[in-house]
Amino acid sequence: MTSLQDVCDPLTASKYAKEENVSIEKSRELLEEYLQKNESNGQLWALYEICGVIDSSDVPFISNPSCEIRKNLIVPQKELEIAKAKFKNVISTKIYSIQRTNPKETRIYGRQWDNNDDLANVKVPTVITKKVSKPEVVKEEVKEKTPEPKSKPVEKKSNGLMSMFTKKPKEETIEKKKTTPVKKVEEKVVEKSPSPVFKKKRVRVEIDEDDDIFDKADTEPKLPTPKKEKSPEKEKEEKKPKRKRALNEENVSKEVNKTIECSPEKSPEKPKPKISAPPPGQQKTTGKKNASIMSFFKKV
Amino acid sequence: MVGKENSGSYRNLSEQFLLTQKDKKGAFNRQYFELYDARLKSLKGRILENAENVLGKGNFECVSLTDVTKTKDVLVIGMILKKIAAKPSILKTLLSEDKVAYEDYEDEEAGDLKRYTENAEDHLEFECDNQTVKLEGNISMNDCATGCCAGLFGKLGDEDGVFEVIRVIWPKIRVEPIDLKMKMRKSVIAFVSGLELSGDLEEDNGTISSFEYFGEWLKEEEEMNVERLVVLGPSIDNNVVGCDVESVVRTLTLSRQDKQMSTKALTMLDKIISSLTDQLDVDVSAGVGDPCSSLWPQPPIHRVCLPRSGMTKKQVNLVTNPYEFSLDGIRFLTTSGENIDDLLKTCWKWKSVDAMENCLKWQHIAPTCPDTLDGFPMADRDPLIISTTPRFMICGNQSNCEVRNVALDDRENICTCISIPKFSKSRTILFLNLEDLTVSWRVFQNDF
């Protein structure tokens, strides 16, 4: 009976049967025995369940007097006999629960209905987890090495300074960072071509081609090549565009604004992208919704 | 909920209560006369069919109200209007400039259903082909309600604008015969209505404890194999989602961490339902006050409101109000009770089962919809028409537990009308045995 000695909260027979892995009848016997032994201490209260037939006149909601109504009632032990007398016919009387506090002062039921968030550790449905896992998988691919580019990473750092100015060092840097084994990425890394910073910015723009943000006329035939020059950071940024880009009032993406922010006039460390408004007196850009960066800079 | 199956030969027959895209299109600009028009067109054929049985084929002539004379008895088909002087009217309120709304709101806390006081000016009218006449003769105020479609056999009275009724012809009752060869399983369906959770644990202590006790009793019960529970709304207390000034002010001044009480009540309901779904199938029907549209027919509560219930073994069906289903070939029709309450207001003599019996006679679940019971403006159909009379008609949130077997037209079939009281007040649950189709009541109570 040590488990019952440790019990503080109200313990029902069904709950005790589950915990002790016994039948409900056995748990009732155990509770009865414990109650009889410790009843004299005065620190133990018991609730009993009475099941029986009641007179329809005792129930205000019953209009048909010939209808038999059964009632399941839970009463404290002290009021057991009084409650039984109210029944027309008592079918069964069983111990329901025991507790160490006065039932009138303690809430037996409703504990599990408290404001505790029981969904905190519950697994979400698989549909939602799949959506969440996609970017993680992509990130892992970026970090992992690829076994396929065996032909490419032959060149090592041993070239020294010359390797700094060739395409291959970027591969080395990629290898260091353990890039993903995606073929397309590797091909892009191999086919590097020196490009100024401006072209790299174009890479971001190209990704938005599907969204028709930029005019098709502004697309440059060189676009596929800059992709190969992408650094792992840019690869991550490229993957970011899968998310919907927020557009400011001028219908220019935030990332474009960032490129503007990187100019020496503005501080690049600002966490929030500012809405780039033209200086007073200057006409606003009259570009269309699908205006490209080229059109933006042209007007400036 | 997805991928789980209901036990037994269960079929959900509530498709007619679901709003279609066609119903919703243009609903904001639609008037209710289209609904009445559709109701009349749907029931006209059945009225004529019944008239042939009652009056005899070829013994009557169906005409328009404009062609009725004082000399010849004819049959006219239209809609009955019950004109009650005490019925609240916004026009009267505006004309009198009395703050009746506030006074009525205070009186609503009494809990009893308010019935309109009888007046000598109360009378019946009949509308047909855009004409209205007053009814007299073999028809009384206790026989009908506003919105009932009927055929009246009679002629014009001596007074102008009066139609003398000789006989009232109601729509023919359609019954689906029960397959006697189908073996009835030893299973029991439980019905409970009006949980009315407020979100406050102290106030809901009695309801929750009794319901929790019922759940534990289910696990131990061996005599009855309860395999399905139907929960009729409203499961959320109407006062919690009230539109009174106090509720609105509280909603507007909620702090970031505070929650509206109705959200707590919804969480509580979700926990209650999910605690039972391990043992049996649960159907949760909405009521006025639950988180869904209050226009009849009410759509199901959205499943995002009960996330825990979707993670359990058995099936949780979020169903419409009214809710129609069949189990082992037996047809059930359940409502949350607002339709019956609205009918009871118009007549002092009716009990809940009287109103339900009249609904079977009129072949309409809620004829006062949309006049005094909020209804959706349907375009070309009336979903509340009883197309097939059920074997059991159950209405929740009534004042008493009543059972009545109503003999249908052909006297071979019966429909059992049952009214269930609110669980929040009575702690009473209805059990229906599918094997012998008997009804029993059980009270679950805590007295400590």
Side-chain angles (χ1 to χ4, degrees), chain B residues 31-37 39 79 87 146-147 295-297 342 364 366-378 382-384:
Chain B
Q31 294 190 4
Y32 283 112
F33 81 91
E34 295 185 41
L35 174 63
Y36 286 116
D37 196 36
R39 185 183 299 177
M79 197 164 290
K87 190 173 99 174
T146 299
L295 301 177
W296 273 53
D342 206 50
H364 201 281
T368 55
C369 176
D371 182 39
T372 45
L373 180 67
D374 293 336
F376 190 86
M378 293 288 186
D382 187 352
L384 299 176

PDB file of all heavy atoms in Angstrom, chain B residues 31-37 39 79 87 146-147 295-297 342 364 366-378 382-384:
ATOM      1  N   GLN B  31     -33.304  37.874 -51.503  1.00  0.00           N
ATOM      2  CA  GLN B  31     -34.410  38.036 -50.572  1.00  0.00           C
ATOM      3  C   GLN B  31     -34.997  36.679 -50.228  1.00  0.00           C
ATOM      4  O   GLN B  31     -34.823  35.705 -50.941  1.00  0.00           O
ATOM      5  CB  GLN B  31     -35.479  38.947 -51.184  1.00  0.00           C
ATOM      6  CG  GLN B  31     -34.981  40.368 -51.388  1.00  0.00           C
ATOM      7  CD  GLN B  31     -36.096  41.319 -51.750  1.00  0.00           C
ATOM      8  OE1 GLN B  31     -37.263  40.942 -51.779  1.00  0.00           O
ATOM      9  NE2 GLN B  31     -35.744  42.563 -52.017  1.00  0.00           N
ATOM     10  N   TYR B  32     -35.728  36.676 -49.145  1.00  0.00           N
ATOM     11  CA  TYR B  32     -36.215  35.403 -48.632  1.00  0.00           C
ATOM     12  C   TYR B  32     -37.416  34.868 -49.385  1.00  0.00           C
ATOM     13  O   TYR B  32     -37.809  33.725 -49.177  1.00  0.00           O
ATOM     14  CB  TYR B  32     -36.568  35.533 -47.145  1.00  0.00           C
ATOM     15  CG  TYR B  32     -35.365  35.542 -46.241  1.00  0.00           C
ATOM     16  CD1 TYR B  32     -34.999  36.688 -45.539  1.00  0.00           C
ATOM     17  CD2 TYR B  32     -34.581  34.402 -46.087  1.00  0.00           C
ATOM     18  CE1 TYR B  32     -33.897  36.692 -44.712  1.00  0.00           C
ATOM     19  CE2 TYR B  32     -33.478  34.399 -45.261  1.00  0.00           C
ATOM     20  CZ  TYR B  32     -33.144  35.551 -44.577  1.00  0.00           C
ATOM     21  OH  TYR B  32     -32.039  35.547 -43.746  1.00  0.00           O
ATOM     22  N   PHE B  33     -38.005  35.652 -50.258  1.00  0.00           N
ATOM     23  CA  PHE B  33     -39.195  35.152 -50.948  1.00  0.00           C
ATOM     24  C   PHE B  33     -38.833  33.976 -51.852  1.00  0.00           C
ATOM     25  O   PHE B  33     -39.679  33.131 -52.145  1.00  0.00           O
ATOM     26  CB  PHE B  33     -39.864  36.270 -51.755  1.00  0.00           C
ATOM     27  CG  PHE B  33     -39.229  36.546 -53.089  1.00  0.00           C
ATOM     28  CD1 PHE B  33     -39.661  35.898 -54.243  1.00  0.00           C
ATOM     29  CD2 PHE B  33     -38.192  37.459 -53.203  1.00  0.00           C
ATOM     30  CE1 PHE B  33     -39.088  36.164 -55.463  1.00  0.00           C
ATOM     31  CE2 PHE B  33     -37.612  37.721 -54.417  1.00  0.00           C
ATOM     32  CZ  PHE B  33     -38.056  37.069 -55.556  1.00  0.00           C
ATOM     33  N   GLU B  34     -37.579  33.941 -52.279  1.00  0.00           N
ATOM     34  CA  GLU B  34     -37.148  32.820 -53.118  1.00  0.00           C
ATOM     35  C   GLU B  34     -37.206  31.509 -52.331  1.00  0.00           C
ATOM     36  O   GLU B  34     -37.549  30.452 -52.877  1.00  0.00           O
ATOM     37  CB  GLU B  34     -35.723  33.076 -53.625  1.00  0.00           C
ATOM     38  CG  GLU B  34     -35.614  34.274 -54.545  1.00  0.00           C
ATOM     39  CD  GLU B  34     -34.211  34.421 -55.124  1.00  0.00           C
ATOM     40  OE1 GLU B  34     -33.598  33.407 -55.494  1.00  0.00           O
ATOM     41  OE2 GLU B  34     -33.722  35.563 -55.201  1.00  0.00           O
ATOM     42  N   LEU B  35     -36.874  31.612 -51.054  1.00  0.00           N
ATOM     43  CA  LEU B  35     -36.923  30.405 -50.223  1.00  0.00           C
ATOM     44  C   LEU B  35     -38.352  29.933 -50.053  1.00  0.00           C
ATOM     45  O   LEU B  35     -38.651  28.745 -50.180  1.00  0.00           O
ATOM     46  CB  LEU B  35     -36.283  30.710 -48.861  1.00  0.00           C
ATOM     47  CG  LEU B  35     -36.354  29.628 -47.792  1.00  0.00           C
ATOM     48  CD1 LEU B  35     -35.598  28.389 -48.216  1.00  0.00           C
ATOM     49  CD2 LEU B  35     -35.799  30.124 -46.463  1.00  0.00           C
ATOM     50  N   TYR B  36     -39.249  30.871 -49.793  1.00  0.00           N
ATOM     51  CA  TYR B  36     -40.656  30.492 -49.639  1.00  0.00           C
ATOM     52  C   TYR B  36     -41.210  29.941 -50.946  1.00  0.00           C
ATOM     53  O   TYR B  36     -42.004  28.991 -50.954  1.00  0.00           O
ATOM     54  CB  TYR B  36     -41.476  31.715 -49.199  1.00  0.00           C
ATOM     55  CG  TYR B  36     -41.275  32.117 -47.756  1.00  0.00           C
ATOM     56  CD1 TYR B  36     -40.711  33.343 -47.425  1.00  0.00           C
ATOM     57  CD2 TYR B  36     -41.661  31.272 -46.719  1.00  0.00           C
ATOM     58  CE1 TYR B  36     -40.538  33.722 -46.104  1.00  0.00           C
ATOM     59  CE2 TYR B  36     -41.486  31.634 -45.400  1.00  0.00           C
ATOM     60  CZ  TYR B  36     -40.929  32.855 -45.096  1.00  0.00           C
ATOM     61  OH  TYR B  36     -40.757  33.216 -43.777  1.00  0.00           O
ATOM     62  N   ASP B  37     -40.798  30.540 -52.035  1.00  0.00           N
ATOM     63  CA  ASP B  37     -41.258  30.078 -53.339  1.00  0.00           C
ATOM     64  C   ASP B  37     -40.807  28.644 -53.585  1.00  0.00           C
ATOM     65  O   ASP B  37     -41.573  27.797 -54.065  1.00  0.00           O
ATOM     66  CB  ASP B  37     -40.708  31.019 -54.416  1.00  0.00           C
ATOM     67  CG  ASP B  37     -41.428  30.845 -55.731  1.00  0.00           C
ATOM     68  OD1 ASP B  37     -42.646  30.590 -55.710  1.00  0.00           O
ATOM     69  OD2 ASP B  37     -40.780  30.948 -56.788  1.00  0.00           O
ATOM     70  N   ARG B  39     -40.054  26.463 -51.325  1.00  0.00           N
ATOM     71  CA  ARG B  39     -40.756  25.573 -50.388  1.00  0.00           C
ATOM     72  C   ARG B  39     -42.116  25.193 -50.940  1.00  0.00           C
ATOM     73  O   ARG B  39     -42.526  24.028 -50.909  1.00  0.00           O
ATOM     74  CB  ARG B  39     -40.908  26.274 -49.037  1.00  0.00           C
ATOM     75  CG  ARG B  39     -41.513  25.432 -47.940  1.00  0.00           C
ATOM     76  CD  ARG B  39     -41.691  26.228 -46.660  1.00  0.00           C
ATOM     77  NE  ARG B  39     -40.438  26.722 -46.135  1.00  0.00           N
ATOM     78  CZ  ARG B  39     -40.322  27.499 -45.054  1.00  0.00           C
ATOM     79  NH1 ARG B  39     -41.403  27.852 -44.392  1.00  0.00           N
ATOM     80  NH2 ARG B  39     -39.146  27.917 -44.645  1.00  0.00           N
ATOM     81  N   MET B  79     -49.442  29.259 -48.546  1.00  0.00           N
ATOM     82  CA  MET B  79     -48.704  29.294 -47.289  1.00  0.00           C
ATOM     83  C   MET B  79     -49.524  29.976 -46.213  1.00  0.00           C
ATOM     84  O   MET B  79     -50.176  30.984 -46.452  1.00  0.00           O
ATOM     85  CB  MET B  79     -47.385  30.047 -47.491  1.00  0.00           C
ATOM     86  CG  MET B  79     -46.369  29.804 -46.400  1.00  0.00           C
ATOM     87  SD  MET B  79     -44.723  30.302 -46.850  1.00  0.00           S
ATOM     88  CE  MET B  79     -44.295  29.096 -48.067  1.00  0.00           C
ATOM     89  N   LYS B  87     -46.295  39.216 -30.949  1.00  0.00           N
ATOM     90  CA  LYS B  87     -44.996  38.841 -31.524  1.00  0.00           C
ATOM     91  C   LYS B  87     -44.136  40.089 -31.656  1.00  0.00           C
ATOM     92  O   LYS B  87     -44.602  41.104 -32.160  1.00  0.00           O
ATOM     93  CB  LYS B  87     -45.215  38.206 -32.899  1.00  0.00           C
ATOM     94  CG  LYS B  87     -43.978  37.555 -33.476  1.00  0.00           C
ATOM     95  CD  LYS B  87     -44.301  36.805 -34.750  1.00  0.00           C
ATOM     96  CE  LYS B  87     -43.939  37.633 -35.947  1.00  0.00           C
ATOM     97  NZ  LYS B  87     -44.096  36.900 -37.207  1.00  0.00           N
ATOM     98  N   THR B 146     -46.599  29.817 -38.886  1.00  0.00           N
ATOM     99  CA  THR B 146     -46.194  30.628 -40.037  1.00  0.00           C
ATOM    100  C   THR B 146     -45.187  29.864 -40.861  1.00  0.00           C
ATOM    101  O   THR B 146     -44.218  29.315 -40.334  1.00  0.00           O
ATOM    102  CB  THR B 146     -45.583  31.947 -39.540  1.00  0.00           C
ATOM    103  OG1 THR B 146     -46.568  32.663 -38.803  1.00  0.00           O
ATOM    104  CG2 THR B 146     -45.106  32.794 -40.697  1.00  0.00           C
ATOM    105  N   GLY B 147     -45.434  29.827 -42.158  1.00  0.00           N
ATOM    106  CA  GLY B 147     -44.498  29.151 -43.044  1.00  0.00           C
ATOM    107  C   GLY B 147     -44.936  27.767 -43.447  1.00  0.00           C
ATOM    108  O   GLY B 147     -44.276  27.137 -44.283  1.00  0.00           O
ATOM    109  N   LEU B 295     -27.142  30.701 -38.817  1.00  0.00           N
ATOM    110  CA  LEU B 295     -28.271  30.629 -39.739  1.00  0.00           C
ATOM    111  C   LEU B 295     -28.593  29.173 -40.006  1.00  0.00           C
ATOM    112  O   LEU B 295     -27.696  28.375 -40.287  1.00  0.00           O
ATOM    113  CB  LEU B 295     -27.933  31.345 -41.055  1.00  0.00           C
ATOM    114  CG  LEU B 295     -27.555  32.829 -40.958  1.00  0.00           C
ATOM    115  CD1 LEU B 295     -27.189  33.364 -42.321  1.00  0.00           C
ATOM    116  CD2 LEU B 295     -28.684  33.634 -40.360  1.00  0.00           C
ATOM    117  N   TRP B 296     -29.865  28.845 -39.962  1.00  0.00           N
ATOM    118  CA  TRP B 296     -30.278  27.475 -40.240  1.00  0.00           C
ATOM    119  C   TRP B 296     -30.302  27.239 -41.745  1.00  0.00           C
ATOM    120  O   TRP B 296     -30.737  28.130 -42.501  1.00  0.00           O
ATOM    121  CB  TRP B 296     -31.674  27.230 -39.650  1.00  0.00           C
ATOM    122  CG  TRP B 296     -31.601  26.792 -38.222  1.00  0.00           C
ATOM    123  CD1 TRP B 296     -30.949  27.423 -37.196  1.00  0.00           C
ATOM    124  CD2 TRP B 296     -32.193  25.618 -37.664  1.00  0.00           C
ATOM    125  NE1 TRP B 296     -31.116  26.703 -36.046  1.00  0.00           N
ATOM    126  CE2 TRP B 296     -31.868  25.601 -36.290  1.00  0.00           C
ATOM    127  CE3 TRP B 296     -32.971  24.600 -38.195  1.00  0.00           C
ATOM    128  CZ2 TRP B 296     -32.302  24.575 -35.440  1.00  0.00           C
ATOM    129  CZ3 TRP B 296     -33.396  23.587 -37.335  1.00  0.00           C
ATOM    130  CH2 TRP B 296     -33.061  23.590 -35.988  1.00  0.00           C
ATOM    131  N   PRO B 297     -29.946  26.067 -42.210  1.00  0.00           N
ATOM    132  CA  PRO B 297     -29.293  24.984 -41.481  1.00  0.00           C
ATOM    133  C   PRO B 297     -27.839  25.323 -41.144  1.00  0.00           C
ATOM    134  O   PRO B 297     -27.115  25.864 -41.971  1.00  0.00           O
ATOM    135  CB  PRO B 297     -29.360  23.815 -42.463  1.00  0.00           C
ATOM    136  CG  PRO B 297     -29.427  24.445 -43.797  1.00  0.00           C
ATOM    137  CD  PRO B 297     -30.139  25.741 -43.632  1.00  0.00           C
ATOM    138  N   ASP B 342     -38.943  27.954 -31.150  1.00  0.00           N
ATOM    139  CA  ASP B 342     -39.597  29.021 -31.901  1.00  0.00           C
ATOM    140  C   ASP B 342     -41.067  28.711 -32.124  1.00  0.00           C
ATOM    141  O   ASP B 342     -41.915  29.602 -32.133  1.00  0.00           O
ATOM    142  CB  ASP B 342     -38.878  29.198 -33.244  1.00  0.00           C
ATOM    143  CG  ASP B 342     -39.043  30.588 -33.795  1.00  0.00           C
ATOM    144  OD1 ASP B 342     -38.803  31.551 -33.036  1.00  0.00           O
ATOM    145  OD2 ASP B 342     -39.417  30.726 -34.966  1.00  0.00           O
ATOM    146  N   HIS B 364     -42.092  19.595 -42.381  1.00  0.00           N
ATOM    147  CA  HIS B 364     -41.060  20.626 -42.408  1.00  0.00           C
ATOM    148  C   HIS B 364     -40.435  20.721 -41.021  1.00  0.00           C
ATOM    149  O   HIS B 364     -41.136  20.747 -40.022  1.00  0.00           O
ATOM    150  CB  HIS B 364     -41.652  21.985 -42.818  1.00  0.00           C
ATOM    151  CG  HIS B 364     -40.645  22.941 -43.345  1.00  0.00           C
ATOM    152  ND1 HIS B 364     -39.800  23.662 -42.529  1.00  0.00           N
ATOM    153  CD2 HIS B 364     -40.320  23.297 -44.619  1.00  0.00           C
ATOM    154  CE1 HIS B 364     -39.003  24.408 -43.268  1.00  0.00           C
ATOM    155  NE2 HIS B 364     -39.303  24.213 -44.541  1.00  0.00           N
ATOM    156  N   ALA B 366     -38.580  23.187 -39.696  1.00  0.00           N
ATOM    157  CA  ALA B 366     -38.663  24.507 -39.060  1.00  0.00           C
ATOM    158  C   ALA B 366     -39.446  25.442 -39.964  1.00  0.00           C
ATOM    159  O   ALA B 366     -38.855  26.237 -40.708  1.00  0.00           O
ATOM    160  CB  ALA B 366     -37.268  25.066 -38.785  1.00  0.00           C
ATOM    161  N   PRO B 367     -40.780  25.384 -39.935  1.00  0.00           N
ATOM    162  CA  PRO B 367     -41.546  26.236 -40.843  1.00  0.00           C
ATOM    163  C   PRO B 367     -41.411  27.727 -40.528  1.00  0.00           C
ATOM    164  O   PRO B 367     -41.597  28.549 -41.423  1.00  0.00           O
ATOM    165  CB  PRO B 367     -42.991  25.767 -40.629  1.00  0.00           C
ATOM    166  CG  PRO B 367     -42.991  25.054 -39.331  1.00  0.00           C
ATOM    167  CD  PRO B 367     -41.630  24.506 -39.136  1.00  0.00           C
ATOM    168  N   THR B 368     -41.071  28.071 -39.288  1.00  0.00           N
ATOM    169  CA  THR B 368     -40.939  29.488 -38.949  1.00  0.00           C
ATOM    170  C   THR B 368     -39.611  30.071 -39.418  1.00  0.00           C
ATOM    171  O   THR B 368     -39.345  31.253 -39.184  1.00  0.00           O
ATOM    172  CB  THR B 368     -41.048  29.682 -37.432  1.00  0.00           C
ATOM    173  OG1 THR B 368     -40.078  28.858 -36.789  1.00  0.00           O
ATOM    174  CG2 THR B 368     -42.431  29.336 -36.932  1.00  0.00           C
ATOM    175  N   CYS B 369     -38.783  29.234 -40.028  1.00  0.00           N
ATOM    176  CA  CYS B 369     -37.537  29.718 -40.609  1.00  0.00           C
ATOM    177  C   CYS B 369     -37.822  30.159 -42.038  1.00  0.00           C
ATOM    178  O   CYS B 369     -38.407  29.381 -42.812  1.00  0.00           O
ATOM    179  CB  CYS B 369     -36.494  28.600 -40.579  1.00  0.00           C
ATOM    180  SG  CYS B 369     -34.935  29.016 -41.382  1.00  0.00           S
ATOM    181  N   PRO B 370     -37.463  31.322 -42.465  1.00  0.00           N
ATOM    182  CA  PRO B 370     -36.654  32.339 -41.796  1.00  0.00           C
ATOM    183  C   PRO B 370     -37.435  33.486 -41.175  1.00  0.00           C
ATOM    184  O   PRO B 370     -36.872  34.540 -40.937  1.00  0.00           O
ATOM    185  CB  PRO B 370     -35.819  32.875 -42.963  1.00  0.00           C
ATOM    186  CG  PRO B 370     -36.763  32.815 -44.114  1.00  0.00           C
ATOM    187  CD  PRO B 370     -37.673  31.624 -43.886  1.00  0.00           C
ATOM    188  N   ASP B 371     -38.696  33.290 -40.883  1.00  0.00           N
ATOM    189  CA  ASP B 371     -39.487  34.399 -40.349  1.00  0.00           C
ATOM    190  C   ASP B 371     -38.997  34.830 -38.972  1.00  0.00           C
ATOM    191  O   ASP B 371     -38.601  35.975 -38.763  1.00  0.00           O
ATOM    192  CB  ASP B 371     -40.961  33.968 -40.287  1.00  0.00           C
ATOM    193  CG  ASP B 371     -41.854  35.078 -39.785  1.00  0.00           C
ATOM    194  OD1 ASP B 371     -41.602  36.234 -40.168  1.00  0.00           O
ATOM    195  OD2 ASP B 371     -42.777  34.802 -39.005  1.00  0.00           O
ATOM    196  N   THR B 372     -39.022  33.914 -38.021  1.00  0.00           N
ATOM    197  CA  THR B 372     -38.562  34.236 -36.669  1.00  0.00           C
ATOM    198  C   THR B 372     -37.341  33.423 -36.258  1.00  0.00           C
ATOM    199  O   THR B 372     -36.709  33.733 -35.258  1.00  0.00           O
ATOM    200  CB  THR B 372     -39.680  33.989 -35.640  1.00  0.00           C
ATOM    201  OG1 THR B 372     -40.295  32.734 -35.916  1.00  0.00           O
ATOM    202  CG2 THR B 372     -40.719  35.095 -35.721  1.00  0.00           C
ATOM    203  N   LEU B 373     -37.012  32.401 -37.013  1.00  0.00           N
ATOM    204  CA  LEU B 373     -35.787  31.626 -36.775  1.00  0.00           C
ATOM    205  C   LEU B 373     -34.816  31.964 -37.895  1.00  0.00           C
ATOM    206  O   LEU B 373     -35.144  31.808 -39.075  1.00  0.00           O
ATOM    207  CB  LEU B 373     -36.103  30.126 -36.782  1.00  0.00           C
ATOM    208  CG  LEU B 373     -34.931  29.174 -36.553  1.00  0.00           C
ATOM    209  CD1 LEU B 373     -34.390  29.301 -35.147  1.00  0.00           C
ATOM    210  CD2 LEU B 373     -35.349  27.737 -36.822  1.00  0.00           C
ATOM    211  N   ASP B 374     -33.635  32.439 -37.537  1.00  0.00           N
ATOM    212  CA  ASP B 374     -32.670  32.894 -38.536  1.00  0.00           C
ATOM    213  C   ASP B 374     -32.333  31.771 -39.505  1.00  0.00           C
ATOM    214  O   ASP B 374     -31.943  30.680 -39.097  1.00  0.00           O
ATOM    215  CB  ASP B 374     -31.383  33.370 -37.841  1.00  0.00           C
ATOM    216  CG  ASP B 374     -31.624  34.613 -37.014  1.00  0.00           C
ATOM    217  OD1 ASP B 374     -32.589  35.335 -37.316  1.00  0.00           O
ATOM    218  OD2 ASP B 374     -30.855  34.854 -36.061  1.00  0.00           O
ATOM    219  N   GLY B 375     -32.478  32.078 -40.784  1.00  0.00           N
ATOM    220  CA  GLY B 375     -32.203  31.077 -41.799  1.00  0.00           C
ATOM    221  C   GLY B 375     -31.389  31.659 -42.933  1.00  0.00           C
ATOM    222  O   GLY B 375     -31.361  32.871 -43.155  1.00  0.00           O
ATOM    223  N   PHE B 376     -30.735  30.770 -43.658  1.00  0.00           N
ATOM    224  CA  PHE B 376     -29.916  31.200 -44.782  1.00  0.00           C
ATOM    225  C   PHE B 376     -30.820  31.457 -45.991  1.00  0.00           C
ATOM    226  O   PHE B 376     -31.724  30.662 -46.259  1.00  0.00           O
ATOM    227  CB  PHE B 376     -28.892  30.109 -45.120  1.00  0.00           C
ATOM    228  CG  PHE B 376     -27.843  30.550 -46.098  1.00  0.00           C
ATOM    229  CD1 PHE B 376     -26.694  31.194 -45.654  1.00  0.00           C
ATOM    230  CD2 PHE B 376     -27.998  30.337 -47.454  1.00  0.00           C
ATOM    231  CE1 PHE B 376     -25.726  31.619 -46.547  1.00  0.00           C
ATOM    232  CE2 PHE B 376     -27.040  30.757 -48.350  1.00  0.00           C
ATOM    233  CZ  PHE B 376     -25.899  31.399 -47.898  1.00  0.00           C
ATOM    234  N   PRO B 377     -30.577  32.533 -46.721  1.00  0.00           N
ATOM    235  CA  PRO B 377     -31.424  32.820 -47.885  1.00  0.00           C
ATOM    236  C   PRO B 377     -31.103  31.905 -49.052  1.00  0.00           C
ATOM    237  O   PRO B 377     -30.231  32.201 -49.877  1.00  0.00           O
ATOM    238  CB  PRO B 377     -31.090  34.286 -48.200  1.00  0.00           C
ATOM    239  CG  PRO B 377     -29.720  34.499 -47.657  1.00  0.00           C
ATOM    240  CD  PRO B 377     -29.589  33.608 -46.467  1.00  0.00           C
ATOM    241  N   MET B 378     -31.804  30.802 -49.120  1.00  0.00           N
ATOM    242  CA  MET B 378     -31.577  29.853 -50.205  1.00  0.00           C
ATOM    243  C   MET B 378     -32.208  30.385 -51.483  1.00  0.00           C
ATOM    244  O   MET B 378     -33.158  31.166 -51.449  1.00  0.00           O
ATOM    245  CB  MET B 378     -32.218  28.505 -49.851  1.00  0.00           C
ATOM    246  CG  MET B 378     -31.561  27.811 -48.681  1.00  0.00           C
ATOM    247  SD  MET B 378     -29.967  27.181 -49.147  1.00  0.00           S
ATOM    248  CE  MET B 378     -29.511  26.292 -47.696  1.00  0.00           C
ATOM    249  N   ASP B 382     -35.342  24.385 -50.498  1.00  0.00           N
ATOM    250  CA  ASP B 382     -35.533  24.531 -49.060  1.00  0.00           C
ATOM    251  C   ASP B 382     -35.027  23.252 -48.407  1.00  0.00           C
ATOM    252  O   ASP B 382     -35.684  22.207 -48.488  1.00  0.00           O
ATOM    253  CB  ASP B 382     -37.021  24.736 -48.735  1.00  0.00           C
ATOM    254  CG  ASP B 382     -37.249  25.062 -47.274  1.00  0.00           C
ATOM    255  OD1 ASP B 382     -36.290  24.981 -46.475  1.00  0.00           O
ATOM    256  OD2 ASP B 382     -38.379  25.397 -46.919  1.00  0.00           O
ATOM    257  N   PRO B 383     -33.864  23.300 -47.761  1.00  0.00           N
ATOM    258  CA  PRO B 383     -33.286  22.062 -47.228  1.00  0.00           C
ATOM    259  C   PRO B 383     -33.997  21.535 -45.992  1.00  0.00           C
ATOM    260  O   PRO B 383     -33.756  20.404 -45.581  1.00  0.00           O
ATOM    261  CB  PRO B 383     -31.842  22.481 -46.884  1.00  0.00           C
ATOM    262  CG  PRO B 383     -31.930  23.939 -46.633  1.00  0.00           C
ATOM    263  CD  PRO B 383     -33.003  24.465 -47.509  1.00  0.00           C
ATOM    264  N   LEU B 384     -34.866  22.340 -45.385  1.00  0.00           N
ATOM    265  CA  LEU B 384     -35.512  21.921 -44.142  1.00  0.00           C
ATOM    266  C   LEU B 384     -36.805  21.149 -44.373  1.00  0.00           C
ATOM    267  O   LEU B 384     -37.499  20.811 -43.420  1.00  0.00           O
ATOM    268  CB  LEU B 384     -35.788  23.152 -43.262  1.00  0.00           C
ATOM    269  CG  LEU B 384     -34.541  23.939 -42.852  1.00  0.00           C
ATOM    270  CD1 LEU B 384     -34.907  25.180 -42.070  1.00  0.00           C
ATOM    271  CD2 LEU B 384     -33.594  23.063 -42.033  1.00  0.00           C
TER     272      LEU B 384
END
